Coordinates of all heavy atoms in Angstrom, one line a residue:
E1 N 0.8 -1.2 0.0 CA 0.0 0.0 0.0 C 0.9 1.2 0.0 O 2.0 1.3 0.6 CB -0.9 0.0 1.2 CG -1.9 -1.1 1.3 CD -3.0 -0.9 0.3 OE1 -3.4 0.2 -0.1 OE2 -3.5 -2.0 -0.2
T2 N 0.4 2.3 -0.6 CA 1.1 3.6 -0.6 C 0.2 4.6 0.0 O -1.0 4.7 -0.2 CB 1.3 4.0 -2.1 OG1 2.1 3.0 -2.7 CG2 2.1 5.3 -2.1
I3 N 0.8 5.4 0.9 CA 0.1 6.5 1.5 C 0.9 7.8 1.2 O 2.1 7.8 1.3 CB 0.1 6.4 3.1 CG1 -0.7 5.1 3.4 CG2 -0.4 7.6 3.7 CD1 -0.7 4.9 4.9
I4 N 0.2 8.7 0.7 CA 0.8 10.0 0.3 C 0.2 11.1 1.3 O -1.0 11.1 1.5 CB 0.4 10.4 -1.1 CG1 1.0 9.4 -2.1 CG2 0.9 11.9 -1.4 CD1 0.6 9.6 -3.5
V5 N 1.1 11.8 1.9 CA 0.6 12.9 2.9 C 1.0 14.2 2.3 O 2.1 14.5 1.9 CB 1.3 12.7 4.2 CG1 0.9 13.8 5.2 CG2 0.9 11.3 4.8
I6 N 0.0 15.1 2.2 CA 0.2 16.5 1.8 C -0.3 17.3 2.9 O -1.5 17.2 3.4 CB -0.5 16.8 0.5 CG1 0.1 16.0 -0.6 CG2 -0.4 18.3 0.2 CD1 -0.6 16.1 -2.0
S7 N 0.5 18.3 3.4 CA 0.1 19.1 4.5 C 0.0 20.6 4.1 O 0.9 21.1 3.4 CB 1.1 18.9 5.6 OG 0.8 19.8 6.7
S8 N -1.1 21.2 4.4 CA -1.2 22.7 4.1 C -2.2 23.3 5.1 O -3.2 22.7 5.4 CB -1.7 22.8 2.7 OG -2.1 24.1 2.4
D9 N -2.0 24.5 5.5 CA -3.0 25.3 6.1 C -4.0 25.6 5.1 O -3.8 25.6 3.9 CB -2.4 26.6 6.7 CG -1.4 26.4 7.8 OD1 -1.3 25.3 8.3 OD2 -0.6 27.3 8.0
L10 N -5.2 26.1 5.6 CA -6.2 26.6 4.7 C -6.2 28.1 4.7 O -5.1 28.7 4.4 CB -7.6 26.0 5.0 CG -7.7 24.5 4.9 CD1 -9.1 24.0 5.3 CD2 -7.3 24.0 3.5
S11 N -7.2 28.8 5.2 CA -7.2 30.2 5.2 C -6.2 30.7 6.3 O -5.8 30.0 7.2 CB -8.6 30.7 5.6 OG -9.0 30.3 6.8
H12 N -5.8 32.0 6.1 CA -4.9 32.6 7.0 C -5.3 34.0 7.5 O -5.6 34.8 6.7 CB -3.5 32.8 6.3 CG -2.6 31.6 6.3 ND1 -2.5 30.8 5.2 CD2 -1.8 31.1 7.3 CE1 -1.7 29.8 5.5 NE2 -1.3 30.0 6.8
Y13 N -5.3 34.1 8.9 CA -5.5 35.4 9.5 C -6.8 36.2 9.2 O -6.8 37.4 9.1 CB -4.3 36.3 9.3 CG -3.0 35.6 9.6 CD1 -2.0 35.4 8.7 CD2 -2.8 35.0 10.9 CE1 -0.8 34.7 9.0 CE2 -1.6 34.3 11.2 CZ -0.7 34.2 10.2 OH 0.5 33.5 10.5
L14 N -7.8 35.4 9.0 CA -9.1 36.0 8.8 C -9.9 35.9 10.1 O -9.6 35.1 11.0 CB -9.9 35.2 7.7 CG -9.3 35.2 6.3 CD1 -10.1 34.2 5.4 CD2 -9.3 36.6 5.7
P15 N -10.9 36.8 10.3 CA -11.8 36.6 11.4 C -12.5 35.2 11.4 O -12.7 34.7 10.3 CB -12.9 37.7 11.2 CG -12.2 38.7 10.3 CD -11.3 37.9 9.4
Y16 N -12.8 34.7 12.5 CA -13.3 33.3 12.7 C -14.4 33.0 11.7 O -14.4 32.0 11.0 CB -13.7 33.1 14.1 CG -14.2 31.7 14.4 CD1 -13.3 30.7 14.7 CD2 -15.6 31.4 14.5 CE1 -13.7 29.4 14.9 CE2 -16.0 30.2 14.8 CZ -15.1 29.2 15.0 OH -15.5 27.9 15.3
S17 N -15.5 33.9 11.7 CA -16.6 33.5 10.9 C -16.3 33.6 9.4 O -16.8 32.8 8.6 CB -17.8 34.5 11.2 OG -17.5 35.8 10.9
V18 N -15.5 34.5 9.0 CA -15.0 34.6 7.6 C -14.2 33.4 7.2 O -14.4 32.7 6.1 CB -14.2 35.9 7.3 CG1 -13.7 35.9 5.9 CG2 -15.1 37.1 7.6
A19 N -13.3 33.0 8.1 CA -12.5 31.8 7.8 C -13.3 30.6 7.7 O -13.0 29.7 6.9 CB -11.4 31.6 9.0
Q20 N -14.3 30.4 8.5 CA -15.2 29.3 8.4 C -15.8 29.2 7.0 O -15.9 28.1 6.5 CB -16.3 29.3 9.5 CG -15.9 28.9 10.9 CD -17.1 28.9 11.8 OE1 -17.8 29.8 11.9 NE2 -17.2 27.8 12.5
S21 N -16.3 30.3 6.5 CA -16.9 30.3 5.2 C -15.9 30.0 4.1 O -16.2 29.1 3.2 CB -17.5 31.7 4.9 OG -18.6 32.0 5.8
V22 N -14.7 30.6 4.2 CA -13.7 30.3 3.2 C -13.3 28.8 3.2 O -13.2 28.2 2.2 CB -12.5 31.2 3.4 CG1 -11.3 30.8 2.5 CG2 -12.9 32.7 3.1
D23 N -13.0 28.3 4.4 CA -12.6 26.9 4.6 C -13.7 25.9 4.2 O -13.4 24.9 3.6 CB -12.1 26.7 6.0 CG -10.9 27.5 6.4 OD1 -10.2 27.9 5.5 OD2 -10.6 27.6 7.6
E24 N -14.9 26.3 4.4 CA -16.0 25.4 3.9 C -16.0 25.3 2.4 O -16.2 24.3 1.8 CB -17.4 25.9 4.4 CG -18.5 25.1 3.8 CD -19.6 24.7 4.7 OE1 -19.4 24.8 5.9 OE2 -20.7 24.4 4.2
M25 N -15.8 26.5 1.8 CA -15.8 26.5 0.3 C -14.6 25.7 -0.2 O -14.7 24.9 -1.2 CB -15.7 28.0 -0.2 CG -15.7 28.1 -1.7 SD -15.6 29.8 -2.3 CE -14.0 30.3 -1.7
T26 N -13.5 25.8 0.4 CA -12.3 25.1 0.1 C -12.6 23.6 0.2 O -12.2 22.8 -0.6 CB -11.1 25.5 0.9 OG1 -10.9 26.9 0.7 CG2 -9.8 24.7 0.6
A27 N -13.2 23.2 1.4 CA -13.5 21.8 1.6 C -14.4 21.2 0.5 O -14.3 20.1 0.0 CB -14.1 21.6 3.0
R28 N -15.4 22.0 0.1 CA -16.3 21.6 -1.0 C -15.5 21.3 -2.3 O -15.8 20.4 -3.0 CB -17.4 22.6 -1.2 CG -18.5 22.6 -0.2 CD -19.7 23.4 -0.7 NE -19.3 24.8 -0.8 CZ -19.8 25.7 0.0 NH1 -20.7 25.5 0.9 NH2 -19.4 27.0 -0.1
K29 N -14.6 22.2 -2.6 CA -13.7 22.0 -3.8 C -12.9 20.7 -3.6 O -12.8 19.9 -4.6 CB -12.8 23.2 -4.0 CG -13.5 24.4 -4.5 CD -12.4 25.5 -4.8 CE -13.0 26.7 -5.5 NZ -12.0 27.7 -5.9
V30 N -12.3 20.5 -2.5 CA -11.6 19.2 -2.3 C -12.5 18.0 -2.5 O -12.1 17.1 -3.2 CB -10.9 19.2 -0.9 CG1 -10.3 17.9 -0.6 CG2 -9.8 20.3 -0.8
L31 N -13.6 18.1 -1.9 CA -14.6 16.9 -2.0 C -15.1 16.7 -3.4 O -15.5 15.6 -3.7 CB -15.7 17.1 -0.9 CG -15.3 17.0 0.5 CD1 -16.4 17.4 1.4 CD2 -14.7 15.7 0.9
A32 N -15.1 17.8 -4.2 CA -15.6 17.7 -5.6 C -14.4 17.4 -6.5 O -14.6 17.3 -7.7 CB -16.3 19.0 -6.0
L33 N -13.2 17.2 -5.9 CA -12.0 17.0 -6.7 C -11.7 18.1 -7.7 O -11.2 17.9 -8.8 CB -12.0 15.6 -7.4 CG -12.2 14.4 -6.5 CD1 -12.3 13.1 -7.4 CD2 -11.1 14.3 -5.5
D34 N -12.1 19.3 -7.3 CA -12.0 20.5 -8.1 C -10.6 21.1 -7.8 O -10.4 21.8 -6.8 CB -13.1 21.5 -7.7 CG -13.0 22.8 -8.4 OD1 -12.0 23.1 -9.2 OD2 -13.9 23.7 -8.3
G35 N -9.7 20.9 -8.7 CA -8.3 21.3 -8.5 C -8.0 22.8 -8.9 O -7.0 23.0 -9.6
S36 N -8.9 23.7 -8.5 CA -8.7 25.1 -8.9 C -8.5 25.9 -7.6 O -8.8 27.1 -7.6 CB -9.9 25.6 -9.6 OG -11.1 25.6 -8.8
L37 N -7.9 25.3 -6.6 CA -7.7 26.1 -5.4 C -6.6 27.2 -5.6 O -5.6 27.0 -6.3 CB -7.1 25.2 -4.3 CG -8.2 24.2 -3.7 CD1 -7.5 23.2 -2.7 CD2 -9.3 24.9 -3.1
A38 N -6.9 28.3 -5.0 CA -5.9 29.5 -5.0 C -5.2 29.6 -3.7 O -5.6 29.0 -2.7 CB -6.7 30.8 -5.3
H39 N -4.1 30.3 -3.6 CA -3.3 30.4 -2.4 C -4.0 31.1 -1.3 O -3.7 30.9 -0.1 CB -2.0 31.1 -2.7 CG -1.1 30.2 -3.6 ND1 -0.5 29.1 -3.1 CD2 -0.8 30.3 -4.9 CE1 0.2 28.6 -4.0 NE2 0.0 29.2 -5.2
D40 N -5.1 31.9 -1.5 CA -5.9 32.4 -0.4 C -6.8 31.4 0.2 O -7.4 31.6 1.2 CB -6.6 33.7 -0.8 CG -7.6 33.5 -1.9 OD1 -7.5 32.6 -2.7 OD2 -8.4 34.4 -2.1
E41 N -7.0 30.3 -0.5 CA -7.9 29.2 0.0 C -7.0 28.2 0.8 O -7.5 27.5 1.7 CB -8.6 28.5 -1.1 CG -9.6 29.4 -1.8 CD -10.1 28.9 -3.1 OE1 -9.3 28.6 -4.0 OE2 -11.4 28.7 -3.2
A42 N -5.8 28.0 0.3 CA -4.9 27.0 1.0 C -3.5 27.5 0.5 O -3.2 27.6 -0.7 CB -5.1 25.6 0.5
C43 N -2.6 27.7 1.5 CA -1.2 28.1 1.1 C -0.5 27.0 0.3 O 0.3 27.4 -0.5 CB -0.4 28.5 2.4 SG -0.1 27.3 3.6
G44 N -0.9 25.8 0.5 CA -0.3 24.7 -0.3 C -1.2 24.3 -1.5 O -1.4 23.2 -1.8
A45 N -1.8 25.4 -2.1 CA -2.7 25.1 -3.2 C -2.1 24.3 -4.3 O -2.8 23.4 -4.9 CB -3.3 26.4 -3.8
V46 N -0.9 24.5 -4.7 CA -0.3 23.8 -5.8 C -0.2 22.3 -5.5 O -0.7 21.5 -6.3 CB 1.1 24.4 -6.2 CG1 1.8 23.5 -7.2 CG2 0.9 25.8 -6.7
P47 N 0.4 21.8 -4.4 CA 0.4 20.4 -4.2 C -1.0 19.8 -4.0 O -1.3 18.7 -4.4 CB 1.3 20.2 -2.9 CG 1.4 21.5 -2.3 CD 1.2 22.5 -3.4
I48 N -1.9 20.5 -3.3 CA -3.3 20.0 -3.2 C -4.0 19.9 -4.5 O -4.6 18.9 -4.8 CB -4.1 20.9 -2.3 CG1 -3.6 20.9 -0.8 CG2 -5.6 20.5 -2.3 CD1 -4.2 21.9 0.1
N49 N -3.8 20.9 -5.4 CA -4.4 20.8 -6.8 C -3.8 19.6 -7.5 O -4.5 18.9 -8.2 CB -4.1 22.0 -7.6 CG -5.0 23.2 -7.1 OD1 -6.1 23.0 -6.5 ND2 -4.6 24.4 -7.3
G50 N -2.5 19.3 -7.3 CA -1.9 18.1 -7.9 C -2.5 16.8 -7.4 O -2.8 15.9 -8.1
L51 N -2.7 16.8 -6.1 CA -3.4 15.6 -5.5 C -4.8 15.4 -6.0 O -5.2 14.3 -6.4 CB -3.4 15.8 -4.0 CG -4.4 14.8 -3.2 CD1 -3.8 13.4 -3.3 CD2 -4.5 15.2 -1.8
L52 N -5.5 16.5 -6.2 CA -6.9 16.4 -6.7 C -6.9 15.9 -8.1 O -7.8 15.2 -8.5 CB -7.6 17.8 -6.5 CG -7.8 18.2 -5.1 CD1 -8.4 19.6 -5.0 CD2 -8.6 17.2 -4.3
L53 N -5.9 16.3 -8.9 CA -5.8 15.9 -10.3 C -5.6 14.3 -10.3 O -6.2 13.6 -11.0 CB -4.7 16.6 -11.0 CG -4.3 16.1 -12.4 CD1 -5.5 16.4 -13.4 CD2 -3.0 16.7 -12.9
V54 N -4.6 13.9 -9.5 CA -4.3 12.4 -9.4 C -5.6 11.7 -8.9 O -5.9 10.6 -9.4 CB -3.1 12.2 -8.6 CG1 -2.9 10.7 -8.3 CG2 -1.9 12.8 -9.2
A55 N -6.2 12.2 -7.9 CA -7.4 11.6 -7.3 C -8.5 11.4 -8.4 O -9.1 10.4 -8.4 CB -7.9 12.4 -6.1
R56 N -8.7 12.5 -9.2 CA -9.7 12.4 -10.3 C -9.3 11.3 -11.3 O -10.2 10.4 -11.6 CB -9.8 13.7 -11.0 CG -10.9 14.6 -10.5 CD -11.2 15.7 -11.5 NE -10.1 16.3 -12.2 CZ -9.3 17.3 -11.8 NH1 -9.5 17.7 -10.6 NH2 -8.4 17.7 -12.5
R57 N -8.1 11.3 -11.7 CA -7.6 10.3 -12.7 C -7.7 8.9 -12.2 O -7.9 8.0 -12.9 CB -6.2 10.6 -13.1 CG -6.1 11.8 -13.9 CD -4.6 12.1 -14.3 NE -4.5 13.3 -15.2 CZ -3.4 13.8 -15.5 NH1 -2.2 13.3 -15.1 NH2 -3.4 14.9 -16.3
R58 N -7.5 8.7 -10.9 CA -7.5 7.3 -10.3 C -8.9 6.9 -9.7 O -9.0 5.8 -9.2 CB -6.4 7.2 -9.2 CG -5.0 7.4 -9.8 CD -4.0 7.2 -8.7 NE -4.1 5.9 -8.1 CZ -3.4 4.8 -8.5 NH1 -2.6 4.8 -9.5 NH2 -3.6 3.6 -7.8
G59 N -9.8 7.8 -9.8 CA -11.2 7.5 -9.3 C -11.2 7.4 -7.8 O -12.0 6.6 -7.3
L60 N -10.4 8.2 -7.1 CA -10.4 8.1 -5.6 C -11.6 8.9 -5.1 O -12.1 9.9 -5.7 CB -9.1 8.7 -5.1 CG -7.8 8.0 -5.5 CD1 -6.6 8.7 -4.9 CD2 -7.9 6.5 -5.2
L61 N -12.1 8.4 -3.9 CA -13.2 9.1 -3.3 C -12.7 9.8 -2.0 O -12.2 9.3 -1.1 CB -14.2 8.0 -2.8 CG -14.7 7.0 -3.9 CD1 -15.5 5.9 -3.3 CD2 -15.5 7.8 -4.9
P62 N -13.0 11.2 -2.0 CA -12.5 12.0 -0.9 C -13.5 12.0 0.3 O -14.7 11.9 0.1 CB -12.5 13.4 -1.5 CG -13.5 13.4 -2.6 CD -13.6 12.0 -3.1
V63 N -13.0 12.0 1.5 CA -13.8 12.1 2.7 C -13.2 13.2 3.6 O -12.0 13.2 3.8 CB -13.8 10.8 3.4 CG1 -14.5 10.9 4.8 CG2 -14.4 9.7 2.6
A64 N -14.0 14.1 4.1 CA -13.6 15.1 5.0 C -13.5 14.4 6.4 O -14.5 13.9 6.9 CB -14.5 16.3 5.0
L65 N -12.4 14.5 7.0 CA -12.2 13.9 8.4 C -12.5 15.0 9.4 O -13.1 14.7 10.4 CB -10.8 13.3 8.6 CG -10.4 12.2 7.5 CD1 -9.0 11.8 7.8 CD2 -11.4 11.1 7.6
D66 N -12.0 16.2 9.2 CA -12.3 17.3 10.2 C -11.8 18.6 9.5 O -10.9 18.7 8.7 CB -11.5 17.1 11.4 CG -12.0 17.9 12.6 OD1 -13.0 18.5 12.5 OD2 -11.3 17.9 13.7
I67 N -12.6 19.7 9.8 CA -12.2 21.0 9.4 C -12.3 21.9 10.7 O -13.3 21.9 11.4 CB -13.3 21.6 8.4 CG1 -13.5 20.7 7.2 CG2 -12.8 23.0 8.0 CD1 -12.3 20.5 6.3
R68 N -11.2 22.5 11.0 CA -11.1 23.4 12.2 C -10.3 24.6 11.9 O -9.6 24.7 10.9 CB -10.5 22.6 13.4 CG -11.4 21.5 13.9 CD -10.9 20.9 15.2 NE -11.6 19.7 15.5 CZ -12.7 19.6 16.3 NH1 -13.1 20.7 16.8 NH2 -13.3 18.5 16.5
S69 N -10.2 25.4 12.9 CA -9.3 26.6 12.8 C -8.6 26.7 14.2 O -9.0 26.1 15.2 CB -10.0 27.8 12.4 OG -10.7 28.4 13.5
S70 N -7.6 27.6 14.2 CA -6.9 27.9 15.5 C -7.9 28.5 16.5 O -7.7 28.3 17.7 CB -5.7 28.8 15.2 OG -6.2 30.0 14.6
G71 N -9.0 29.1 16.0 CA -10.0 29.6 16.9 C -10.8 28.5 17.6 O -11.4 28.8 18.6
D72 N -10.8 27.3 17.0 CA -11.5 26.2 17.7 C -10.6 25.5 18.7 O -11.1 24.7 19.5 CB -11.9 25.1 16.6 CG -12.9 25.7 15.6 OD1 -13.9 26.3 16.1 OD2 -12.7 25.5 14.4
T73 N -9.3 25.7 18.6 CA -8.4 24.9 19.5 C -7.8 25.8 20.6 O -8.2 25.6 21.7 CB -7.3 24.3 18.6 OG1 -6.6 25.4 17.9 CG2 -7.8 23.3 17.6
A74 N -6.9 26.7 20.3 CA -6.2 27.4 21.4 C -6.1 28.9 21.2 O -5.5 29.5 22.0 CB -4.9 26.7 21.6
G75 N -6.6 29.3 20.0 CA -6.3 30.7 19.7 C -7.4 31.7 19.8 O -8.6 31.3 20.1
S76 N -7.2 32.9 19.6 CA -8.2 34.0 19.5 C -9.0 33.8 18.3 O -8.6 33.2 17.3 CB -7.5 35.3 19.5 OG -8.2 36.3 18.8
K77 N -10.3 34.3 18.3 CA -11.1 34.2 17.1 C -11.0 35.5 16.3 O -11.7 35.6 15.2 CB -12.6 34.0 17.6 CG -12.7 32.6 18.2 CD -14.1 32.2 18.4 CE -14.1 30.8 19.1 NZ -15.0 29.9 18.7
G78 N -10.1 36.4 16.6 CA -10.0 37.6 15.9 C -9.3 37.4 14.5 O -9.7 37.9 13.5
Q79 N -8.2 36.5 14.5 CA -7.5 36.1 13.3 C -7.2 34.7 13.5 O -6.5 34.3 14.5 CB -6.2 36.9 13.1 CG -6.5 38.4 12.8 CD -5.2 39.1 12.4 OE1 -4.1 38.8 13.0 NE2 -5.2 40.0 11.5
V80 N -7.6 33.8 12.6 CA -7.4 32.4 12.7 C -6.7 31.8 11.5 O -6.7 32.5 10.5 CB -8.8 31.7 13.0 CG1 -9.5 32.2 14.2 CG2 -9.7 31.7 11.8
V81 N -6.2 30.6 11.7 CA -5.7 29.8 10.6 C -6.5 28.6 10.5 O -6.8 27.9 11.5 CB -4.2 29.5 10.8 CG1 -3.6 28.6 9.7 CG2 -3.3 30.7 10.9
G82 N -6.9 28.3 9.3 CA -7.8 27.1 9.0 C -7.0 25.9 8.7 O -5.9 25.9 8.2
Y83 N -7.6 24.7 9.1 CA -7.0 23.4 8.9 C -8.0 22.4 8.4 O -9.2 22.5 8.9 CB -6.3 22.9 10.2 CG -5.4 23.8 10.9 CD1 -5.9 24.5 12.0 CD2 -4.2 24.1 10.5 CE1 -5.1 25.4 12.7 CE2 -3.3 25.0 11.1 CZ -3.8 25.6 12.2 OH -3.0 26.5 12.8
G84 N -7.7 21.6 7.5 CA -8.6 20.5 7.1 C -7.8 19.2 7.0 O -6.7 19.2 6.7
A85 N -8.6 18.1 7.3 CA -8.0 16.8 7.2 C -8.9 16.0 6.2 O -10.1 15.9 6.5 CB -7.9 16.1 8.5
F86 N -8.4 15.4 5.2 CA -9.1 14.7 4.2 C -8.4 13.3 3.9 O -7.2 13.3 4.0 CB -9.2 15.4 2.9 CG -9.8 16.8 3.0 CD1 -9.1 17.9 3.3 CD2 -11.2 16.9 2.9 CE1 -9.6 19.2 3.5 CE2 -11.8 18.2 3.0 CZ -11.0 19.3 3.3
A87 N -9.2 12.3 3.6 CA -8.6 11.1 3.2 C -9.2 10.7 1.8 O -10.3 11.1 1.5 CB -9.0 10.0 4.2
F88 N -8.5 10.0 1.0 CA -8.9 9.6 -0.3 C -8.8 8.1 -0.4 O -7.7 7.5 -0.1 CB -8.0 10.3 -1.4 CG -8.2 11.8 -1.4 CD1 -7.5 12.6 -0.5 CD2 -9.0 12.4 -2.4 CE1 -7.6 14.0 -0.5 CE2 -9.1 13.8 -2.4 CZ -8.4 14.6 -1.4
Y89 N -9.9 7.5 -0.8 CA -9.9 6.0 -0.9 C -10.2 5.6 -2.3 O -10.9 6.2 -3.0 CB -11.0 5.5 0.0 CG -10.8 5.8 1.5 CD1 -11.4 7.0 2.1 CD2 -10.1 5.0 2.3 CE1 -11.2 7.2 3.4 CE2 -9.9 5.3 3.6 CZ -10.5 6.4 4.2 OH -10.3 6.7 5.5
E90 N -9.8 4.4 -2.6 CA -10.2 3.7 -3.8 C -11.6 3.2 -3.6 O -12.0 3.0 -2.4 CB -9.3 2.5 -4.1 CG -7.9 3.0 -4.6 CD -7.0 1.8 -4.9 OE1 -7.2 0.7 -4.5 OE2 -6.0 2.1 -5.6
D91 N -12.4 3.1 -4.6 CA -13.8 2.7 -4.5 C -14.0 1.5 -3.7 O -14.9 1.4 -2.9 CB -14.4 2.6 -5.9 CG -15.9 2.5 -5.9 OD1 -16.5 3.1 -4.9 OD2 -16.5 1.9 -6.7
G92 N -13.1 0.5 -3.8 CA -13.3 -0.8 -3.1 C -13.0 -0.6 -1.6 O -13.3 -1.6 -0.9
D93 N -12.5 0.5 -1.2 CA -12.2 0.7 0.2 C -13.3 1.4 1.0 O -13.0 1.9 2.1 CB -10.9 1.5 0.4 CG -9.6 0.7 -0.1 OD1 -9.7 -0.5 -0.1 OD2 -8.6 1.4 -0.4
R94 N -14.5 1.3 0.5 CA -15.6 2.1 1.2 C -15.8 1.6 2.6 O -16.0 2.4 3.5 CB -16.9 1.9 0.4 CG -17.0 2.7 -0.8 CD -18.3 2.6 -1.4 NE -18.3 3.5 -2.6 CZ -19.3 3.6 -3.4 NH1 -20.4 3.0 -3.1 NH2 -19.2 4.4 -4.4
E95 N -15.6 0.3 2.9 CA -15.8 -0.1 4.3 C -14.7 0.5 5.2 O -15.0 0.6 6.4 CB -15.8 -1.7 4.4 CG -14.5 -2.3 3.9 CD -14.5 -2.5 2.4 OE1 -15.4 -2.2 1.6 OE2 -13.4 -3.0 1.9
A96 N -13.6 0.9 4.7 CA -12.5 1.5 5.5 C -13.0 2.9 6.0 O -12.5 3.3 7.0 CB -11.2 1.6 4.7
R97 N -13.9 3.5 5.2 CA -14.3 4.8 5.6 C -15.4 4.8 6.7 O -15.6 5.9 7.3 CB -14.9 5.6 4.4 CG -13.8 5.8 3.3 CD -14.4 6.5 2.1 NE -15.5 5.8 1.5 CZ -16.6 6.3 1.0 NH1 -16.8 7.6 1.0 NH2 -17.5 5.6 0.4
N98 N -16.0 3.7 6.9 CA -17.1 3.7 7.9 C -16.6 3.2 9.3 O -15.7 2.7 9.6 CB -18.2 2.8 7.4 CG -18.8 3.4 6.1 OD1 -18.9 4.6 5.9 ND2 -19.2 2.5 5.2

């Protein structure tokens, strides 16, 4: 088995409610395998877009594991950094997602 890990923050230094909206939109793009992320949606947009391209080509199924921000964990809600965790499975691995 091969596991590929790509790490990136999502939104940066936005107010909590704005960051939630931006990160939700970014998550929808990831789940739709829409490889058009910009750097204001994820600082690692280029590697994420590459992953989404490969995922589309290989027929991988994305699952959102968690979406949070620094305002949900230990920081102020005035300016937060967004984080998302996603997994991509082959179609036959559906039982692994449940």
Side-chain angles (χ1 to χ4, degrees):
E1 295 289 329
T2 300
I3 295 176
I4 298 170
V5 177
I6 295 174
S7 177
S8 172
D9 297 341
L10 299 181
S11 62
H12 276 100
Y13 309 122
L14 298 173
Y16 183 80
S17 62
V18 175
Q20 281 185 311
S21 296
V22 170
D23 294 342
E24 170 138 344
M25 182 179 64
T26 301
R28 279 193 298 246
K29 285 184 174 182
V30 170
L31 294 173
L33 302 177
D34 177 354
S36 66
L37 292 176
H39 290 286
D40 60 340
E41 296 169 300
C43 61
V46 171
I48 294 172
N49 287 336
L51 168 66
L52 297 175
L53 174 67
V54 170
R56 263 195 327 274
R57 287 181 179 171
R58 296 185 57 92
L60 300 181
L61 304 172
V63 175
L65 303 175
D66 199 7
I67 308 292
R68 294 192 189 263
S69 76
S70 57
D72 295 314
T73 58
S76 152
K77 293 192 185 220
Q79 290 187 327
V80 302
V81 175
Y83 310 101
F86 301 89
F88 295 80
Y89 297 94
E90 292 181 336
D91 192 29
D93 291 338
R94 284 187 179 179
E95 59 277 359
R97 297 182 296 145
N98 298 324

